[in-house]
Amino acid sequence: MAKVSIRDFLKKKERKERITMLTAYDYPTAKVISNTDLDGILVGDSLGMVVLGLENTLNVTMSDMVRHVSAVARAKPKQLIVADMPFLSYEVSVNEGVRNAGKLTRNGADAVKLEGGEEVVDVIRAIIKAGIPVMGHIGLTPQRFLRIGGFRTIGKREKEAEQLIRDAKALEDAGVFSIVVENTYAEVAKKITESVSVPTICIGAGPYCDGQILVIHDLLGFTDFSPYFAKAYVNLKEIIDKAVNEYINDVKSGKFPARENYKEISDNR
């Protein structure tokens, strides 16, 4: 399979083929994912919570993102690599946003993702003008959870739903190649999807978008807390717990290391 491009995302919407994405934050995970038919990898600022143990994404830095994007890129996945622009990496000025997008691209990202709607179109246009593809992100925008009143489902009120549609159209006009729609009511996500020609990719927004994305730690059952919209396909915590306890027992009983696990000088005689 050839490297996935933004054109492939657009063609999938035209052909009504579902787009699949997962997050990844490190080399080994990206290496495993690269052997699947997944379409895209998001190096998300969600790494703050699922990898670094932070309470939210606000303290994730550009240095964090560059380090993790580089690690994922070293796996050379065929999937499109999208990197999150972290909090305050693009809000301060358009020029700073372009420079930071460039840093992520230089370190292996094929595209960047920005949270926000009408208020971020200027920086999106500038980043695209610089030659860097942009994915939009509306609905629940975690970097703005303080302003929107916490991590809640967005779009119940008519005014809020109408603003989401305006935001989606503004992002499309600005040139994004796709839009993540997070934690909105399904009916609203459906209207958003029908109102734009670029693909919409849902996380917690129902079945009506053009694709889906999940945090890989949720998919693997590797987190203490999992949102209502996530689905665990395996209980990796249980598997790891079992393996670690078997290791402990083998060491205590003398089963490990076994003879095949070490060398002696006499082996070479």
Side-chain angles (χ1 to χ4, degrees), residues 185-217:
Y185 290 91
E187 301 93 328
V188 178
K190 186 175 188 291
K191 290 179 181 178
I192 292 169
T193 301
E194 292 170 348
S195 70
V196 295
S197 62
V198 297
T200 57
I201 301 169
C202 283
I203 178 165
Y208 305 117
C209 289
D210 301 301
Q212 296 285 333
I213 183 169
L214 279 180
V215 172
I216 194 164
H217 290 69

Side-chain angles (χ1 to χ4, degrees), residues 1 3-6 8-9 12 18-24 30 33-34 36-43 72 77-83 110-111 135 177-178 201 212-214 216:
M1 179 178 171
K3 175 76 174 178
V4 177
S5 69
I6 62 171
D8 294 317
F9 273 54
K12 278 180 175 288
R18 304 302 292 274
I19 296 167
T20 58
M21 293 188 70
L22 286 170
T23 63
I33 285 177
S34 69
T36 72
D37 292 328
L38 194 73
D39 296 308
I41 293 173
L42 172 66
V43 186
V72 168
K78 60 193 175 187
Q79 289 79 14
L80 188 78
I81 301 174
V82 182
D110 300 310
M135 174 181 282
F177 72 91
S178 60
I201 301 169
Q212 296 285 333
I213 183 169
L214 279 180
I216 194 164

